[in-house]
Amino acid sequence: MSPYVEVQQFYARHMHLLDAGAAEEWAATFTEDGTFTGPGEPEPLRGRAELIATMSKAAAEQKAAGEQRRHWHGMVDVEELPDGNLQATCYALVFSTFQGKDPQLRRTCVCRDILVRENGELRVKARFVTRDDLP
Amino acid sequence: MSPYVEVQQFYARHMHLLDAGAAEEWAATFTEDGTFTGPGEPEPLRGRAELIATMSKAAAEQKAAGEQRRHWHGMVDVEELPDGNLQATCYALVFSTFQGKDPQLRRTCVCRDILVRENGELRVKARFVTRDDLP
Amino acid sequence: MSPYVEVQQFYARHMHLLDAGAAEEWAATFTEDGTFTGPGEPEPLRGRAELIATMSKAAAEQKAAGEQRRHWHGMVDVEELPDGNLQATCYALVFSTFQGKDPQLRRTCVCRDILVRENGELRVKARFVTRDDLP
């Protein structure tokens, strides 16, 4: 499997876990010390425990509100770094659908990941996300 | 071509046929006995004749209304099953554009397919679609 | 890398350049005599100078308005032509986000490209785009 396809397959499972609210399994697709630098956040999330805590809270709020989010990555640019890791830069869409309502496009973003292999599987070592609606 | 890429290529042609209203060619991308279990439907469609009938009716209504739909699959997770078939689980978006109007996002869905090879080409043996706005 | 993956990787960088307003680098992803037959335009753009001029003007207008566009290609059908070139037919989405506002889906389109290799890299020799909201 080419690195490009490997990244596409990785993002698919990664997003299915996120949108299913599977916080621990989703966090396991980051390295143990993985970081998530989100838009408009003063500090990045650092490590799986922080990722799980933040993601669980959001998932619980969405579930209580009857909201299903869907995260799409696309226009994926994969670059093999000299150290053998991958840098993936892509666009991201966030959709939101409430029970009985029309779906909404909430965000268009850009995501840049440093992806490393652990035991043969890709994991996010560092993620940087920017939102198009914020400076 | 890796199975992952094969599935992406397959979905592209499959959706181009669907959105062009090419009912018979689209139904031919299912197996002869292929099934389509749609959201909110009491019974799955079974076999190409039922697929053609349902799809032709929808295509005629859309054409009469000046509506162009576009179906997108994305975040495709492909799993090779022990019997050599493929299971593809992906997100689906349905867009609708009427002549002279702005496009609309109509649906966000999840689609799971069992894909088999016949004469070297992928075909849908069973499709299961759920809509995010329905329970 | 399979031609299919090569096209996906090409479109990613191509669109990142377009949406970043990098007119010259974007135009360099067309052949020197590349054409762009747009929707509702009386004449195609011909050659990099025309592509740069048209794209720079649009990028300047968007920047002045605080608008970030994002172009997505998807459902990509890649066909290898007898002469070794590629024909890629895909769906295109155009999103627009203004600072501090919700994102908007502006267009759903179909894009057909003739792609050739120059010095081992894909370039657009001819592009044909249609909009779903226009006849």
Short mmCIF file of all heavy atoms in Angstrom, two decimals, chain B residues 1 5 8-9 11-13 15-16 19 68-74 95 97-105, chain C residues 2 4-5 8 72-79 89-93 105-110 132-135:
data_model
loop_
_atom_site.label_atom_id
_atom_site.label_comp_id
_atom_site.label_asym_id
_atom_site.label_seq_id
_atom_site.Cartn_x
_atom_site.Cartn_y
_atom_site.Cartn_z
N MET B 1 -3.41 -2.40 -8.98
CA MET B 1 -4.19 -1.40 -8.24
C MET B 1 -4.59 -2.01 -6.90
O MET B 1 -5.11 -3.12 -6.86
CB MET B 1 -5.45 -1.03 -9.05
CG MET B 1 -6.10 0.28 -8.64
SD MET B 1 -7.69 0.57 -9.46
CE MET B 1 -7.17 0.89 -11.15
N VAL B 5 -7.75 1.61 -3.78
CA VAL B 5 -7.89 2.47 -4.96
C VAL B 5 -8.98 1.94 -5.90
O VAL B 5 -9.75 2.71 -6.49
CB VAL B 5 -6.53 2.57 -5.70
CG1 VAL B 5 -6.70 3.26 -7.05
CG2 VAL B 5 -5.53 3.32 -4.83
N GLN B 8 -12.21 3.23 -4.65
CA GLN B 8 -12.40 4.65 -4.95
C GLN B 8 -12.80 4.85 -6.42
O GLN B 8 -13.71 5.62 -6.73
CB GLN B 8 -11.11 5.42 -4.66
CG GLN B 8 -10.79 5.54 -3.18
CD GLN B 8 -9.56 6.40 -2.94
OE1 GLN B 8 -8.50 6.13 -3.48
NE2 GLN B 8 -9.70 7.44 -2.15
N GLN B 9 -12.07 4.15 -7.30
CA GLN B 9 -12.40 4.25 -8.73
C GLN B 9 -13.82 3.73 -9.00
O GLN B 9 -14.58 4.32 -9.78
CB GLN B 9 -11.36 3.48 -9.54
CG GLN B 9 -11.67 3.33 -11.01
CD GLN B 9 -11.67 4.66 -11.75
OE1 GLN B 9 -10.66 5.31 -11.89
NE2 GLN B 9 -12.85 5.08 -12.24
N TYR B 11 -16.39 3.65 -6.93
CA TYR B 11 -17.41 4.57 -6.43
C TYR B 11 -17.57 5.78 -7.36
O TYR B 11 -18.67 6.32 -7.52
CB TYR B 11 -17.07 5.03 -5.01
CG TYR B 11 -17.48 4.05 -3.93
CD1 TYR B 11 -16.74 3.95 -2.75
CD2 TYR B 11 -18.59 3.23 -4.08
CE1 TYR B 11 -17.11 3.06 -1.74
CE2 TYR B 11 -18.96 2.34 -3.08
CZ TYR B 11 -18.23 2.26 -1.92
OH TYR B 11 -18.60 1.38 -0.92
N ALA B 12 -16.47 6.24 -7.93
CA ALA B 12 -16.55 7.39 -8.83
C ALA B 12 -17.49 7.09 -10.01
O ALA B 12 -18.45 7.82 -10.27
CB ALA B 12 -15.16 7.77 -9.33
N ARG B 13 -17.23 5.99 -10.70
CA ARG B 13 -18.08 5.67 -11.87
C ARG B 13 -19.51 5.35 -11.45
O ARG B 13 -20.47 5.72 -12.12
CB ARG B 13 -17.48 4.49 -12.64
CG ARG B 13 -16.19 4.91 -13.35
CD ARG B 13 -15.72 3.90 -14.37
NE ARG B 13 -14.38 4.29 -14.83
CZ ARG B 13 -13.51 3.48 -15.40
NH1 ARG B 13 -13.84 2.22 -15.63
NH2 ARG B 13 -12.32 3.91 -15.77
N MET B 15 -21.19 6.56 -8.95
CA MET B 15 -21.94 7.77 -8.63
C MET B 15 -22.18 8.63 -9.88
O MET B 15 -23.22 9.28 -9.99
CB MET B 15 -21.21 8.58 -7.56
CG MET B 15 -21.22 7.93 -6.20
SD MET B 15 -22.88 7.41 -5.67
CE MET B 15 -22.54 7.01 -3.93
N HIS B 16 -21.22 8.62 -10.79
CA HIS B 16 -21.44 9.37 -12.03
C HIS B 16 -22.66 8.80 -12.78
O HIS B 16 -23.48 9.55 -13.33
CB HIS B 16 -20.20 9.31 -12.93
CG HIS B 16 -19.00 10.02 -12.37
ND1 HIS B 16 -17.83 10.19 -13.08
CD2 HIS B 16 -18.77 10.60 -11.16
CE1 HIS B 16 -16.94 10.85 -12.33
NE2 HIS B 16 -17.50 11.10 -11.17
N ASP B 19 -25.94 9.79 -10.81
CA ASP B 19 -26.33 11.20 -10.92
C ASP B 19 -26.63 11.61 -12.37
O ASP B 19 -27.23 12.66 -12.60
CB ASP B 19 -25.22 12.09 -10.33
CG ASP B 19 -25.06 11.87 -8.83
OD1 ASP B 19 -26.07 11.53 -8.17
OD2 ASP B 19 -23.94 12.01 -8.32
N GLN B 68 -30.34 18.71 -10.13
CA GLN B 68 -29.17 17.85 -10.32
C GLN B 68 -28.66 17.42 -8.95
O GLN B 68 -28.23 18.27 -8.17
CB GLN B 68 -28.07 18.59 -11.08
CG GLN B 68 -26.79 17.80 -11.27
CD GLN B 68 -26.99 16.57 -12.15
OE1 GLN B 68 -27.37 16.68 -13.31
NE2 GLN B 68 -26.73 15.39 -11.59
N ARG B 69 -28.69 16.13 -8.68
CA ARG B 69 -28.12 15.64 -7.43
C ARG B 69 -26.68 15.20 -7.66
O ARG B 69 -26.31 14.79 -8.76
CB ARG B 69 -28.95 14.44 -6.91
CG ARG B 69 -30.36 14.85 -6.56
CD ARG B 69 -30.79 14.28 -5.23
NE ARG B 69 -32.17 14.70 -4.97
CZ ARG B 69 -33.08 13.95 -4.37
NH1 ARG B 69 -32.75 12.74 -3.94
NH2 ARG B 69 -34.30 14.41 -4.15
N ARG B 70 -25.91 15.27 -6.60
CA ARG B 70 -24.53 14.77 -6.63
C ARG B 70 -24.28 13.98 -5.35
O ARG B 70 -24.45 14.52 -4.25
CB ARG B 70 -23.51 15.91 -6.72
CG ARG B 70 -23.60 16.76 -7.97
CD ARG B 70 -23.14 16.04 -9.21
NE ARG B 70 -23.34 16.85 -10.42
CZ ARG B 70 -23.33 16.35 -11.65
NH1 ARG B 70 -23.16 15.05 -11.86
NH2 ARG B 70 -23.51 17.14 -12.68
N HIS B 71 -23.91 12.76 -5.52
CA HIS B 71 -23.60 11.87 -4.39
C HIS B 71 -22.09 11.74 -4.24
O HIS B 71 -21.40 11.38 -5.19
CB HIS B 71 -24.20 10.48 -4.63
CG HIS B 71 -25.70 10.44 -4.58
ND1 HIS B 71 -26.49 10.89 -5.62
CD2 HIS B 71 -26.55 10.02 -3.61
CE1 HIS B 71 -27.77 10.74 -5.29
NE2 HIS B 71 -27.83 10.22 -4.09
N TRP B 72 -21.62 12.04 -3.04
CA TRP B 72 -20.18 11.91 -2.73
C TRP B 72 -19.97 10.83 -1.68
O TRP B 72 -20.64 10.84 -0.64
CB TRP B 72 -19.64 13.22 -2.16
CG TRP B 72 -19.43 14.32 -3.14
CD1 TRP B 72 -20.36 14.88 -3.96
CD2 TRP B 72 -18.20 15.02 -3.40
NE1 TRP B 72 -19.78 15.88 -4.71
CE2 TRP B 72 -18.46 15.99 -4.38
CE3 TRP B 72 -16.90 14.93 -2.88
CZ2 TRP B 72 -17.47 16.86 -4.87
CZ3 TRP B 72 -15.91 15.78 -3.36
CH2 TRP B 72 -16.21 16.74 -4.35
N HIS B 73 -19.04 9.94 -1.93
CA HIS B 73 -18.55 9.05 -0.89
C HIS B 73 -17.18 9.56 -0.42
O HIS B 73 -16.40 10.08 -1.22
CB HIS B 73 -18.40 7.63 -1.42
CG HIS B 73 -19.65 6.82 -1.34
ND1 HIS B 73 -19.74 5.51 -1.75
CD2 HIS B 73 -20.89 7.14 -0.90
CE1 HIS B 73 -20.96 5.06 -1.54
NE2 HIS B 73 -21.68 6.03 -1.03
N GLY B 74 -16.92 9.42 0.85
CA GLY B 74 -15.63 9.85 1.37
C GLY B 74 -15.32 9.14 2.67
O GLY B 74 -16.16 8.42 3.22
N PHE B 95 -25.84 16.22 -2.42
CA PHE B 95 -26.05 17.62 -2.76
C PHE B 95 -27.15 17.72 -3.81
O PHE B 95 -27.31 16.81 -4.63
CB PHE B 95 -24.77 18.23 -3.33
CG PHE B 95 -23.61 18.22 -2.39
CD1 PHE B 95 -22.62 17.25 -2.49
CD2 PHE B 95 -23.51 19.17 -1.39
CE1 PHE B 95 -21.54 17.24 -1.61
CE2 PHE B 95 -22.44 19.15 -0.50
CZ PHE B 95 -21.45 18.19 -0.61
N THR B 97 -28.81 20.63 -6.60
CA THR B 97 -28.77 21.96 -7.20
C THR B 97 -29.89 22.08 -8.24
O THR B 97 -30.00 21.25 -9.13
CB THR B 97 -27.41 22.23 -7.89
OG1 THR B 97 -26.36 22.04 -6.95
CG2 THR B 97 -27.34 23.66 -8.43
N PHE B 98 -30.70 23.12 -8.07
CA PHE B 98 -31.73 23.42 -9.05
C PHE B 98 -31.21 24.50 -9.99
O PHE B 98 -30.43 25.37 -9.57
CB PHE B 98 -33.01 23.90 -8.35
CG PHE B 98 -33.75 22.82 -7.62
CD1 PHE B 98 -33.40 22.50 -6.31
CD2 PHE B 98 -34.76 22.11 -8.24
CE1 PHE B 98 -34.07 21.49 -5.63
CE2 PHE B 98 -35.44 21.10 -7.57
CZ PHE B 98 -35.09 20.79 -6.26
N GLN B 99 -31.63 24.44 -11.23
CA GLN B 99 -31.23 25.43 -12.22
C GLN B 99 -31.41 26.84 -11.68
O GLN B 99 -32.49 27.22 -11.24
CB GLN B 99 -32.08 25.27 -13.49
CG GLN B 99 -31.70 24.07 -14.32
CD GLN B 99 -30.34 24.23 -14.95
OE1 GLN B 99 -30.12 25.17 -15.70
NE2 GLN B 99 -29.42 23.33 -14.64
N GLY B 100 -30.32 27.63 -11.74
CA GLY B 100 -30.37 29.03 -11.34
C GLY B 100 -30.36 29.28 -9.85
O GLY B 100 -30.47 30.44 -9.42
N LYS B 101 -30.23 28.22 -9.06
CA LYS B 101 -30.26 28.37 -7.59
C LYS B 101 -28.93 27.97 -6.97
O LYS B 101 -28.11 27.30 -7.59
CB LYS B 101 -31.36 27.45 -7.01
CG LYS B 101 -32.75 27.67 -7.57
CD LYS B 101 -33.38 28.92 -7.01
CE LYS B 101 -34.84 29.02 -7.48
NZ LYS B 101 -35.45 30.28 -7.03
N ASP B 102 -28.75 28.34 -5.70
CA ASP B 102 -27.58 27.90 -4.95
C ASP B 102 -27.70 26.41 -4.61
O ASP B 102 -28.80 25.91 -4.39
CB ASP B 102 -27.45 28.70 -3.64
CG ASP B 102 -27.00 30.12 -3.88
OD1 ASP B 102 -26.36 30.38 -4.93
OD2 ASP B 102 -27.28 30.98 -3.03
N PRO B 103 -26.56 25.73 -4.54
CA PRO B 103 -26.59 24.30 -4.18
C PRO B 103 -26.98 24.11 -2.72
O PRO B 103 -26.76 24.99 -1.89
CB PRO B 103 -25.15 23.84 -4.44
CG PRO B 103 -24.33 25.07 -4.29
CD PRO B 103 -25.18 26.21 -4.76
N GLN B 104 -27.56 22.97 -2.44
CA GLN B 104 -27.96 22.61 -1.08
C GLN B 104 -27.33 21.28 -0.68
O GLN B 104 -27.28 20.36 -1.49
CB GLN B 104 -29.49 22.45 -1.01
CG GLN B 104 -30.27 23.66 -1.42
CD GLN B 104 -30.13 24.81 -0.44
OE1 GLN B 104 -29.98 24.60 0.76
NE2 GLN B 104 -30.15 26.04 -0.96
N LEU B 105 -26.90 21.22 0.57
CA LEU B 105 -26.52 19.94 1.16
C LEU B 105 -27.79 19.32 1.73
O LEU B 105 -28.41 19.89 2.62
CB LEU B 105 -25.49 20.17 2.28
CG LEU B 105 -25.16 18.95 3.14
CD1 LEU B 105 -24.48 17.86 2.34
CD2 LEU B 105 -24.29 19.38 4.33
N SER C 2 0.25 4.44 -8.36
CA SER C 2 -0.68 4.21 -9.46
C SER C 2 -1.15 5.54 -10.02
O SER C 2 -1.15 6.57 -9.32
CB SER C 2 -1.88 3.40 -8.96
OG SER C 2 -2.72 4.21 -8.18
N TYR C 4 -4.01 6.54 -10.49
CA TYR C 4 -5.14 7.05 -9.72
C TYR C 4 -4.66 7.88 -8.51
O TYR C 4 -5.13 8.99 -8.27
CB TYR C 4 -6.03 5.90 -9.23
CG TYR C 4 -7.37 6.38 -8.73
CD1 TYR C 4 -8.44 6.52 -9.59
CD2 TYR C 4 -7.56 6.74 -7.40
CE1 TYR C 4 -9.66 7.00 -9.15
CE2 TYR C 4 -8.77 7.23 -6.95
CZ TYR C 4 -9.83 7.35 -7.83
OH TYR C 4 -11.03 7.83 -7.40
N VAL C 5 -3.71 7.34 -7.80
CA VAL C 5 -3.16 8.04 -6.63
C VAL C 5 -2.40 9.28 -7.06
O VAL C 5 -2.46 10.33 -6.41
CB VAL C 5 -2.27 7.07 -5.81
CG1 VAL C 5 -1.51 7.82 -4.73
CG2 VAL C 5 -3.12 5.97 -5.21
N GLN C 8 -4.83 12.01 -7.52
CA GLN C 8 -5.33 12.53 -6.24
C GLN C 8 -4.30 13.47 -5.60
O GLN C 8 -4.63 14.55 -5.12
CB GLN C 8 -5.64 11.38 -5.29
CG GLN C 8 -6.87 10.56 -5.68
CD GLN C 8 -7.18 9.49 -4.65
OE1 GLN C 8 -6.35 8.66 -4.32
NE2 GLN C 8 -8.38 9.52 -4.12
N TRP C 72 -12.75 21.55 -3.70
CA TRP C 72 -12.61 20.11 -3.46
C TRP C 72 -12.91 19.35 -4.75
O TRP C 72 -13.94 19.59 -5.39
CB TRP C 72 -13.61 19.63 -2.41
CG TRP C 72 -13.28 19.98 -1.00
CD1 TRP C 72 -13.09 21.22 -0.48
CD2 TRP C 72 -13.12 19.06 0.10
NE1 TRP C 72 -12.82 21.14 0.87
CE2 TRP C 72 -12.84 19.82 1.25
CE3 TRP C 72 -13.19 17.67 0.22
CZ2 TRP C 72 -12.63 19.24 2.51
CZ3 TRP C 72 -12.99 17.10 1.47
CH2 TRP C 72 -12.70 17.87 2.60
N HIS C 73 -12.05 18.43 -5.10
CA HIS C 73 -12.37 17.44 -6.13
C HIS C 73 -12.69 16.12 -5.45
O HIS C 73 -12.08 15.78 -4.43
CB HIS C 73 -11.19 17.27 -7.08
CG HIS C 73 -11.15 18.25 -8.21
ND1 HIS C 73 -10.22 18.24 -9.20
CD2 HIS C 73 -11.98 19.28 -8.51
CE1 HIS C 73 -10.45 19.21 -10.06
NE2 HIS C 73 -11.51 19.86 -9.66
N GLY C 74 -13.61 15.40 -6.00
CA GLY C 74 -13.96 14.10 -5.44
C GLY C 74 -14.62 13.22 -6.47
O GLY C 74 -14.93 13.67 -7.58
N MET C 75 -14.88 11.98 -6.10
CA MET C 75 -15.46 11.00 -7.03
C MET C 75 -14.69 11.03 -8.35
O MET C 75 -15.24 11.20 -9.43
CB MET C 75 -16.95 11.30 -7.27
CG MET C 75 -17.82 11.23 -6.01
SD MET C 75 -17.97 9.53 -5.37
CE MET C 75 -16.61 9.51 -4.17
N VAL C 76 -13.38 10.86 -8.22
CA VAL C 76 -12.46 11.00 -9.36
C VAL C 76 -12.42 9.71 -10.17
O VAL C 76 -12.10 8.64 -9.64
CB VAL C 76 -11.04 11.35 -8.87
CG1 VAL C 76 -10.10 11.55 -10.05
CG2 VAL C 76 -11.06 12.58 -7.97
N ASP C 77 -12.76 9.83 -11.43
CA ASP C 77 -12.69 8.71 -12.39
C ASP C 77 -11.49 8.95 -13.29
O ASP C 77 -11.44 9.95 -14.01
CB ASP C 77 -13.98 8.68 -13.21
CG ASP C 77 -13.95 7.63 -14.31
OD1 ASP C 77 -13.14 6.69 -14.24
OD2 ASP C 77 -14.75 7.78 -15.26
N VAL C 78 -10.50 8.06 -13.23
CA VAL C 78 -9.27 8.23 -14.02
C VAL C 78 -9.22 7.17 -15.11
O VAL C 78 -9.34 5.97 -14.83
CB VAL C 78 -8.01 8.11 -13.12
CG1 VAL C 78 -6.74 8.19 -13.97
CG2 VAL C 78 -8.02 9.20 -12.06
N GLU C 79 -9.04 7.63 -16.33
CA GLU C 79 -8.97 6.73 -17.48
C GLU C 79 -7.63 6.97 -18.18
O GLU C 79 -7.27 8.11 -18.47
CB GLU C 79 -10.13 7.05 -18.44
CG GLU C 79 -10.28 6.06 -19.57
CD GLU C 79 -11.44 6.44 -20.50
OE1 GLU C 79 -12.24 7.33 -20.13
OE2 GLU C 79 -11.52 5.86 -21.59
N THR C 89 -12.19 12.63 -14.73
CA THR C 89 -13.51 13.26 -14.65
C THR C 89 -13.96 13.18 -13.20
O THR C 89 -13.99 12.10 -12.62
CB THR C 89 -14.53 12.54 -15.54
OG1 THR C 89 -13.98 12.44 -16.87
CG2 THR C 89 -15.85 13.27 -15.59
N CYS C 90 -14.26 14.33 -12.62
CA CYS C 90 -14.58 14.32 -11.19
C CYS C 90 -15.64 15.37 -10.86
O CYS C 90 -15.99 16.21 -11.68
CB CYS C 90 -13.32 14.57 -10.36
SG CYS C 90 -12.60 16.18 -10.56
N TYR C 91 -16.16 15.27 -9.66
CA TYR C 91 -17.04 16.28 -9.11
C TYR C 91 -16.19 17.35 -8.44
O TYR C 91 -15.09 17.06 -7.95
CB TYR C 91 -17.99 15.67 -8.08
CG TYR C 91 -19.05 14.74 -8.63
CD1 TYR C 91 -19.84 13.98 -7.78
CD2 TYR C 91 -19.27 14.61 -10.01
CE1 TYR C 91 -20.82 13.13 -8.27
CE2 TYR C 91 -20.25 13.76 -10.50
CZ TYR C 91 -21.02 13.02 -9.62
OH TYR C 91 -21.99 12.19 -10.12
N ALA C 92 -16.70 18.56 -8.39
CA ALA C 92 -15.99 19.64 -7.70
C ALA C 92 -16.97 20.41 -6.83
O ALA C 92 -18.11 20.66 -7.22
CB ALA C 92 -15.33 20.58 -8.70
N LEU C 93 -16.52 20.75 -5.64
CA LEU C 93 -17.27 21.60 -4.72
C LEU C 93 -16.47 22.88 -4.51
O LEU C 93 -15.24 22.83 -4.43
CB LEU C 93 -17.47 20.91 -3.37
CG LEU C 93 -18.21 19.58 -3.38
CD1 LEU C 93 -18.17 18.96 -1.97
CD2 LEU C 93 -19.66 19.77 -3.81
N LEU C 105 -21.56 26.67 0.95
CA LEU C 105 -21.33 25.89 -0.27
C LEU C 105 -21.80 26.74 -1.44
O LEU C 105 -22.97 27.09 -1.53
CB LEU C 105 -22.14 24.59 -0.21
CG LEU C 105 -22.19 23.77 -1.49
CD1 LEU C 105 -20.81 23.24 -1.87
CD2 LEU C 105 -23.18 22.61 -1.34
N ARG C 106 -20.88 27.10 -2.32
CA ARG C 106 -21.23 28.01 -3.41
C ARG C 106 -21.64 27.29 -4.69
O ARG C 106 -22.54 27.74 -5.40
CB ARG C 106 -20.04 28.91 -3.76
CG ARG C 106 -19.81 30.03 -2.77
CD ARG C 106 -18.59 30.84 -3.20
NE ARG C 106 -18.72 31.34 -4.55
CZ ARG C 106 -19.27 32.52 -4.87
NH1 ARG C 106 -19.75 33.31 -3.92
NH2 ARG C 106 -19.33 32.92 -6.12
N ARG C 107 -20.92 26.20 -5.01
CA ARG C 107 -21.14 25.55 -6.29
C ARG C 107 -20.94 24.05 -6.19
O ARG C 107 -20.08 23.59 -5.43
CB ARG C 107 -20.08 26.01 -7.33
CG ARG C 107 -20.03 27.49 -7.57
CD ARG C 107 -20.93 27.89 -8.71
NE ARG C 107 -20.79 29.33 -8.96
CZ ARG C 107 -21.64 30.25 -8.51
NH1 ARG C 107 -22.70 29.91 -7.79
NH2 ARG C 107 -21.44 31.53 -8.79
N THR C 108 -21.71 23.32 -6.97
CA THR C 108 -21.34 21.95 -7.29
C THR C 108 -21.11 21.90 -8.80
O THR C 108 -21.90 22.45 -9.58
CB THR C 108 -22.40 20.91 -6.87
OG1 THR C 108 -23.56 21.03 -7.69
CG2 THR C 108 -22.81 21.11 -5.41
N CYS C 109 -20.00 21.29 -9.18
CA CYS C 109 -19.56 21.30 -10.59
C CYS C 109 -19.08 19.92 -11.01
O CYS C 109 -18.92 19.02 -10.19
CB CYS C 109 -18.38 22.27 -10.76
SG CYS C 109 -18.72 23.98 -10.29
N VAL C 110 -18.85 19.79 -12.31
CA VAL C 110 -18.16 18.63 -12.85
C VAL C 110 -16.93 19.14 -13.60
O VAL C 110 -17.02 20.14 -14.32
CB VAL C 110 -19.07 17.82 -13.80
CG1 VAL C 110 -18.30 16.67 -14.45
CG2 VAL C 110 -20.28 17.28 -13.04
N ASP C 132 -23.54 22.95 -12.06
CA ASP C 132 -24.84 22.28 -12.01
C ASP C 132 -26.01 23.24 -12.00
O ASP C 132 -27.14 22.84 -12.28
CB ASP C 132 -24.92 21.39 -10.76
CG ASP C 132 -24.01 20.17 -10.86
OD1 ASP C 132 -23.64 19.79 -11.99
OD2 ASP C 132 -23.67 19.61 -9.81
N ASP C 133 -25.76 24.50 -11.67
CA ASP C 133 -26.85 25.48 -11.61
C ASP C 133 -27.06 26.20 -12.94
O ASP C 133 -27.97 27.02 -13.05
CB ASP C 133 -26.58 26.51 -10.51
CG ASP C 133 -25.27 27.26 -10.73
OD1 ASP C 133 -24.27 26.61 -11.10
OD2 ASP C 133 -25.25 28.48 -10.55
N LEU C 134 -26.21 25.92 -13.91
CA LEU C 134 -26.34 26.55 -15.23
C LEU C 134 -26.75 25.50 -16.26
O LEU C 134 -26.42 24.34 -16.12
CB LEU C 134 -25.02 27.19 -15.65
CG LEU C 134 -24.50 28.33 -14.77
CD1 LEU C 134 -23.20 28.89 -15.34
CD2 LEU C 134 -25.53 29.45 -14.66
N PRO C 135 -27.48 25.95 -17.32
CA PRO C 135 -27.93 24.98 -18.31
C PRO C 135 -26.74 24.36 -19.08
O PRO C 135 -25.68 24.95 -19.14
CB PRO C 135 -28.80 25.80 -19.26
CG PRO C 135 -28.76 27.21 -18.83
CD PRO C 135 -27.88 27.33 -17.63
#
